Amino acid sequence: MGLFLKITLAVVLVVLLWRMWPATKHWMENGPKGSRGDWMSFVLIIAAIVGFVALMIVSVRN
Amino acid sequence: MNPNYAAVSRPRLNALEANKVLKNTYMLLSATLAFSAVMAMVSMYINMPPMAYLISVIVAMVLGIFVLPKTANSSTGIGVLFLITGLLGFGLGSILTVYMAMANGPQIIATALGGTGIIFLGLSGYALTTKKDFSFLGGFLFAGMMVVVLAIIASLFIQIPALSLTISAAIIMLMSGLILFDTSRIINGGETNYILATFSIFLSLFNIFISLLNILGIMSSD
């Protein structure tokens, strides 16, 4: 039963990939390109989230 | 992960219409989160086995891929959205039951829940106050999601804790970017359908919560 469910989920995920492909292709080819500043602000946000998750890990280990 | 993003440009909305979409999205998001939480409690109360999670996710994904896009422009879409979020909540309940049985399970759940809330409020608040256009993230987020889906398929059959941790970390980063991207699309008029917007933000929150549970669960044990 477990293996059957895993295979079913894998098939559904492949269908998801197939359905996501047109949007992915569109955004990669025609999506707006960010400036260096745009990407820097995004990297800073992600860094803040990584730091926050690290804090949560420390809190559950103590 | 929401496959229902339009691959073509849509007409831009004015600020009033965009605010209406935003308000409807947050109202529907609140209602679906509450419903999902109730379904999770029901699942925990009747002690559903972990297998229920896989079944719920499969059915919810099929509904999200094939049914929701066809009904999102009618009131039926709201019913389908509640069905999907209820199913995900029900599946989540079976996972929470496993965590509750751990020594520090309640602490892990509370931390993951609080963390998800703080991440969502922080990111939404940032996107709403700066009104910055995060559509430049589109290509990166979609390509990243496709890579993560491929990694998830591999992890279904290859049980490596490091791979599971890496996938969870990648999902948190991608879903955080997606919250910025979705919120920015709503306020800048790129998303006009509040049902699809709610679905996407709900999935981001759900995925962040599940990934945080996984990371905290693995990292809390020695």
Side-chain angles (χ1 to χ4, degrees), chain B residues 65-123:
Chain B
I65 294 170
F66 295 108
V67 183
L68 191 65
K70 290 191 171 74
T71 56
N73 289 315
S74 66
S75 56
T76 315
I78 295 177
V80 174
L81 183 66
F82 272 94
L83 183 60
I84 293 171
T85 54
L87 269 169
L88 289 173
F90 190 77
L92 180 66
S94 65
I95 297 289
L96 294 180
T97 305
V98 175
Y99 276 87
M100 287 299 278
M102 291 166 65
N104 58 347
Q107 190 199 356
I108 290 173
I109 293 171
T111 309
L113 193 61
T116 305
I118 290 170
I119 289 172
F120 172 65
L121 289 176
L123 293 172

Coordinates of all heavy atoms in Angstrom, one line a residue, chain B residues 65-123:
Chain B
I65 N -4.8 20.6 -9.6 CA -4.3 20.6 -11.0 C -5.5 20.6 -12.0 O -5.4 21.4 -13.0 CB -3.4 19.4 -11.3 CG1 -2.1 19.5 -10.4 CG2 -3.0 19.3 -12.7 CD1 -1.2 18.3 -10.4
F66 N -6.5 19.8 -11.8 CA -7.5 19.6 -12.8 C -8.8 20.3 -12.6 O -9.5 20.7 -13.5 CB -7.8 18.1 -13.0 CG -6.6 17.3 -13.5 CD1 -5.9 16.5 -12.7 CD2 -6.2 17.5 -14.9 CE1 -4.7 15.8 -13.2 CE2 -5.0 16.8 -15.3 CZ -4.3 16.0 -14.5
V67 N -9.3 20.4 -11.3 CA -10.6 20.9 -11.0 C -10.6 22.4 -10.7 O -11.4 23.2 -11.3 CB -11.3 20.1 -9.9 CG1 -12.7 20.6 -9.7 CG2 -11.3 18.6 -10.2
L68 N -9.7 22.8 -9.9 CA -9.7 24.3 -9.5 C -9.6 25.2 -10.6 O -10.3 26.2 -10.7 CB -8.6 24.5 -8.4 CG -8.7 25.9 -7.7 CD1 -10.0 26.0 -6.9 CD2 -7.6 26.2 -6.8
P69 N -8.6 25.0 -11.6 CA -8.5 26.0 -12.7 C -9.8 26.1 -13.5 O -10.1 27.2 -14.0 CB -7.4 25.4 -13.6 CG -6.6 24.5 -12.7 CD -7.6 23.9 -11.7
K70 N -10.6 25.0 -13.6 CA -11.9 25.1 -14.4 C -13.0 25.8 -13.6 O -14.0 26.2 -14.2 CB -12.3 23.7 -14.7 CG -11.4 23.0 -15.8 CD -12.0 21.7 -16.3 CE -11.3 21.1 -17.5 NZ -10.0 20.5 -17.1
T71 N -12.9 25.8 -12.2 CA -14.0 26.4 -11.4 C -13.6 27.7 -10.8 O -14.4 28.3 -10.1 CB -14.4 25.4 -10.3 OG1 -13.2 25.1 -9.6 CG2 -14.9 24.1 -10.9
A72 N -12.3 28.2 -11.0 CA -11.9 29.3 -10.2 C -12.6 30.6 -10.6 O -12.5 31.6 -9.8 CB -10.4 29.5 -10.5
N73 N -13.3 30.7 -11.7 CA -14.0 31.9 -12.1 C -15.5 31.8 -11.7 O -16.2 32.7 -12.1 CB -13.9 32.1 -13.6 CG -12.4 32.6 -13.9 OD1 -11.8 33.4 -13.2 ND2 -11.9 32.0 -14.9
S74 N -15.9 30.8 -10.9 CA -17.2 30.8 -10.4 C -17.3 30.5 -8.9 O -16.2 30.2 -8.3 CB -18.0 29.6 -11.1 OG -17.4 28.4 -10.8
S75 N -18.5 30.6 -8.3 CA -18.6 30.3 -6.9 C -18.2 28.9 -6.5 O -17.8 28.6 -5.4 CB -20.0 30.7 -6.4 OG -20.9 29.9 -7.1
T76 N -18.3 28.0 -7.5 CA -17.9 26.6 -7.2 C -16.5 26.5 -6.8 O -16.1 25.6 -6.0 CB -18.1 25.7 -8.5 OG1 -19.4 26.1 -9.1 CG2 -18.1 24.2 -8.3
G77 N -15.7 27.4 -7.3 CA -14.2 27.4 -7.0 C -14.0 27.6 -5.5 O -13.0 27.0 -5.0
I78 N -14.8 28.3 -4.9 CA -14.7 28.5 -3.4 C -14.9 27.2 -2.7 O -14.1 26.8 -1.8 CB -15.6 29.6 -2.9 CG1 -15.3 30.9 -3.5 CG2 -15.6 29.7 -1.3 CD1 -16.2 32.1 -3.1
G79 N -15.9 26.4 -3.1 CA -16.2 25.1 -2.6 C -15.0 24.2 -2.8 O -14.6 23.4 -1.9
V80 N -14.5 24.2 -4.0 CA -13.3 23.3 -4.4 C -12.1 23.7 -3.5 O -11.4 22.8 -3.0 CB -13.0 23.4 -5.9 CG1 -11.7 22.6 -6.2 CG2 -14.2 22.9 -6.7
L81 N -11.9 25.0 -3.3 CA -10.8 25.5 -2.5 C -10.9 25.0 -1.1 O -9.9 24.5 -0.5 CB -10.7 27.0 -2.6 CG -9.5 27.6 -1.8 CD1 -8.2 27.3 -2.5 CD2 -9.7 29.1 -1.7
F82 N -12.1 25.1 -0.5 CA -12.4 24.6 0.8 C -12.1 23.0 0.9 O -11.6 22.5 1.9 CB -13.8 24.9 1.4 CG -13.8 26.3 2.0 CD1 -14.1 27.4 1.3 CD2 -13.4 26.4 3.4 CE1 -14.2 28.7 1.9 CE2 -13.4 27.7 4.0 CZ -13.8 28.8 3.2
L83 N -12.5 22.3 -0.2 CA -12.3 20.9 -0.2 C -10.8 20.6 -0.2 O -10.4 19.7 0.6 CB -13.0 20.3 -1.5 CG -12.9 18.8 -1.7 CD1 -13.6 18.1 -0.5 CD2 -13.6 18.4 -3.0
I84 N -10.1 21.3 -1.0 CA -8.6 21.1 -1.1 C -7.9 21.4 0.3 O -7.2 20.6 0.8 CB -8.0 21.9 -2.2 CG1 -8.5 21.5 -3.6 CG2 -6.5 21.9 -2.1 CD1 -8.1 22.4 -4.7
T85 N -8.3 22.6 0.8 CA -7.6 23.0 2.0 C -8.0 22.1 3.2 O -7.2 21.8 4.1 CB -7.9 24.5 2.4 OG1 -9.3 24.7 2.4 CG2 -7.2 25.4 1.3
G86 N -9.3 21.7 3.2 CA -9.8 20.8 4.2 C -9.0 19.4 4.2 O -8.6 18.9 5.2
L87 N -8.8 18.9 2.9 CA -8.1 17.7 2.7 C -6.7 17.8 3.2 O -6.2 16.9 3.9 CB -8.1 17.3 1.3 CG -9.2 16.4 0.7 CD1 -9.2 16.4 -0.8 CD2 -9.1 15.0 1.3
L88 N -6.0 18.9 2.9 CA -4.6 19.1 3.3 C -4.6 19.2 4.8 O -3.6 18.7 5.4 CB -4.1 20.4 2.6 CG -3.8 20.2 1.1 CD1 -3.4 21.6 0.6 CD2 -2.7 19.2 0.9
G89 N -5.5 19.9 5.4 CA -5.6 20.0 6.9 C -5.8 18.6 7.5 O -5.1 18.2 8.5
F90 N -6.7 17.8 6.9 CA -6.9 16.4 7.4 C -5.7 15.6 7.4 O -5.4 14.9 8.3 CB -8.1 15.8 6.6 CG -8.6 14.5 7.2 CD1 -9.5 14.6 8.3 CD2 -8.2 13.3 6.6 CE1 -10.0 13.4 8.8 CE2 -8.7 12.1 7.2 CZ -9.6 12.2 8.3
G91 N -5.0 15.7 6.2 CA -3.7 14.9 6.1 C -2.7 15.4 7.1 O -1.9 14.6 7.7
L92 N -2.6 16.7 7.3 CA -1.7 17.3 8.2 C -1.9 16.8 9.6 O -0.9 16.6 10.4 CB -1.8 18.8 8.2 CG -0.9 19.7 9.1 CD1 0.6 19.5 8.6 CD2 -1.3 21.1 9.1
G93 N -3.2 16.6 10.0 CA -3.5 16.1 11.3 C -2.8 14.8 11.6 O -2.3 14.6 12.7
S94 N -2.7 13.9 10.6 CA -2.1 12.6 10.8 C -0.6 12.8 11.1 O 0.0 12.0 11.8 CB -2.3 11.7 9.6 OG -1.7 12.2 8.5
I95 N 0.1 13.8 10.5 CA 1.5 14.1 10.7 C 1.7 14.6 12.1 O 2.6 14.3 12.8 CB 2.0 15.1 9.6 CG1 1.9 14.5 8.2 CG2 3.4 15.5 9.9 CD1 2.9 13.4 8.0
L96 N 0.7 15.5 12.5 CA 0.8 16.2 13.8 C 0.7 15.1 14.9 O 1.3 15.2 16.0 CB -0.2 17.3 13.9 CG 0.0 18.5 13.0 CD1 -1.2 19.5 13.3 CD2 1.3 19.1 13.2
T97 N -0.1 14.1 14.6 CA -0.3 13.0 15.6 C 1.1 12.3 15.9 O 1.4 12.0 17.1 CB -1.3 12.0 15.1 OG1 -2.5 12.6 14.8 CG2 -1.6 10.9 16.1
V98 N 1.9 12.1 14.8 CA 3.2 11.5 15.0 C 4.1 12.4 15.8 O 4.8 12.0 16.7 CB 3.8 11.2 13.6 CG1 5.2 10.7 13.7 CG2 3.0 10.3 12.8
Y99 N 4.1 13.7 15.5 CA 4.9 14.7 16.3 C 4.5 14.8 17.7 O 5.3 14.9 18.6 CB 4.9 16.1 15.6 CG 5.8 16.2 14.4 CD1 5.5 15.8 13.2 CD2 7.1 16.7 14.6 CE1 6.3 15.9 12.1 CE2 8.0 16.7 13.6 CZ 7.6 16.4 12.3 OH 8.5 16.4 11.3
M100 N 3.2 14.7 18.0 CA 2.7 14.8 19.4 C 3.2 13.7 20.2 O 3.3 13.8 21.4 CB 1.1 14.8 19.4 CG 0.5 16.1 18.9 SD 1.0 17.5 19.9 CE -0.1 17.4 21.2
A101 N 3.5 12.5 19.5 CA 4.0 11.4 20.3 C 5.5 11.5 20.7 O 6.0 10.7 21.5 CB 3.8 10.1 19.5
M102 N 6.2 12.5 20.0 CA 7.6 12.7 20.4 C 7.7 13.5 21.7 O 6.8 14.2 22.1 CB 8.3 13.5 19.3 CG 8.4 12.8 17.9 SD 8.8 13.8 16.6 CE 10.4 14.5 17.0
A103 N 8.9 13.3 22.4 CA 9.1 13.9 23.7 C 8.9 15.5 23.6 O 8.2 16.0 24.5 CB 10.5 13.6 24.2
N104 N 9.5 16.1 22.6 CA 9.3 17.6 22.5 C 8.4 18.0 21.3 O 8.5 19.0 20.8 CB 10.7 18.3 22.4 CG 11.5 17.7 21.2 OD1 11.1 16.7 20.6 ND2 12.5 18.4 20.8
G105 N 7.5 17.0 21.0 CA 6.6 17.2 19.8 C 5.8 18.5 19.9 O 5.8 19.3 19.0
P106 N 5.1 18.7 21.1 CA 4.3 19.9 21.1 C 5.1 21.2 21.0 O 4.6 22.1 20.3 CB 3.7 19.8 22.6 CG 3.7 18.4 22.9 CD 4.9 17.8 22.2
Q107 N 6.3 21.2 21.5 CA 7.2 22.4 21.3 C 7.6 22.6 19.9 O 7.6 23.7 19.3 CB 8.5 22.2 22.2 CG 9.3 23.5 22.2 CD 10.7 23.3 22.7 OE1 11.1 22.2 23.0 NE2 11.5 24.3 22.7
I108 N 7.9 21.5 19.2 CA 8.2 21.6 17.7 C 7.0 22.1 16.9 O 7.2 23.0 16.1 CB 8.7 20.2 17.2 CG1 10.0 19.8 17.8 CG2 8.8 20.2 15.7 CD1 10.4 18.4 17.5
I109 N 5.8 21.6 17.2 CA 4.7 22.0 16.5 C 4.4 23.5 16.7 O 4.2 24.3 15.8 CB 3.4 21.2 16.9 CG1 3.6 19.7 16.4 CG2 2.1 21.8 16.3 CD1 2.5 18.8 16.9
A110 N 4.5 23.9 18.0 CA 4.2 25.3 18.3 C 5.2 26.2 17.7 O 4.9 27.3 17.2 CB 4.2 25.5 19.9
T111 N 6.5 25.8 17.7 CA 7.6 26.6 17.1 C 7.4 26.7 15.6 O 7.5 27.8 15.0 CB 9.0 26.0 17.4 OG1 9.1 25.8 18.8 CG2 10.1 26.9 17.0
A112 N 7.1 25.6 14.9 CA 6.8 25.6 13.5 C 5.6 26.5 13.1 O 5.7 27.3 12.1 CB 6.6 24.2 13.0
L113 N 4.6 26.4 13.9 CA 3.4 27.2 13.7 C 3.6 28.7 13.8 O 3.3 29.5 13.0 CB 2.2 26.8 14.6 CG 0.8 27.2 14.3 CD1 0.4 26.7 12.9 CD2 -0.1 26.8 15.4
G114 N 4.3 29.0 15.0 CA 4.6 30.4 15.2 C 5.6 31.0 14.1 O 5.4 32.1 13.6
G115 N 6.6 30.1 13.8 CA 7.6 30.5 12.8 C 6.9 30.8 11.4 O 7.2 31.8 10.7
T116 N 6.0 29.9 11.0 CA 5.2 30.1 9.8 C 4.5 31.4 9.8 O 4.5 32.2 8.8 CB 4.3 28.9 9.5 OG1 5.0 27.7 9.6 CG2 3.6 29.0 8.2
G117 N 3.8 31.7 10.9 CA 3.0 32.9 11.0 C 3.9 34.2 10.9 O 3.6 35.1 10.2
I118 N 5.1 34.1 11.6 CA 6.0 35.3 11.6 C 6.6 35.5 10.2 O 6.6 36.6 9.7 CB 7.1 35.1 12.7 CG1 6.5 35.2 14.1 CG2 8.2 36.1 12.5 CD1 7.4 34.8 15.2
I119 N 7.0 34.4 9.5 CA 7.5 34.5 8.2 C 6.5 35.1 7.2 O 6.7 36.0 6.5 CB 8.0 33.1 7.7 CG1 9.3 32.7 8.4 CG2 8.3 33.2 6.1 CD1 9.7 31.3 8.1
F120 N 5.2 34.6 7.3 CA 4.2 35.1 6.4 C 3.9 36.6 6.7 O 3.8 37.4 5.8 CB 2.9 34.3 6.6 CG 1.7 34.8 5.9 CD1 1.7 34.9 4.5 CD2 0.6 35.3 6.6 CE1 0.6 35.4 3.8 CE2 -0.5 35.8 5.9 CZ -0.5 35.9 4.6
L121 N 3.7 36.9 8.0 CA 3.4 38.3 8.3 C 4.5 39.3 7.9 O 4.3 40.3 7.4 CB 3.1 38.5 9.8 CG 1.8 37.9 10.3 CD1 1.7 38.0 11.8 CD2 0.6 38.5 9.6
G122 N 5.8 38.8 8.2 CA 6.9 39.6 7.8 C 7.0 39.9 6.3 O 7.2 41.0 5.8
L123 N 6.9 38.8 5.5 CA 7.0 38.9 4.1 C 5.9 39.7 3.4 O 6.1 40.5 2.6 CB 7.1 37.5 3.4 CG 8.4 36.7 3.7 CD1 8.3 35.3 3.2 CD2 9.6 37.4 3.2

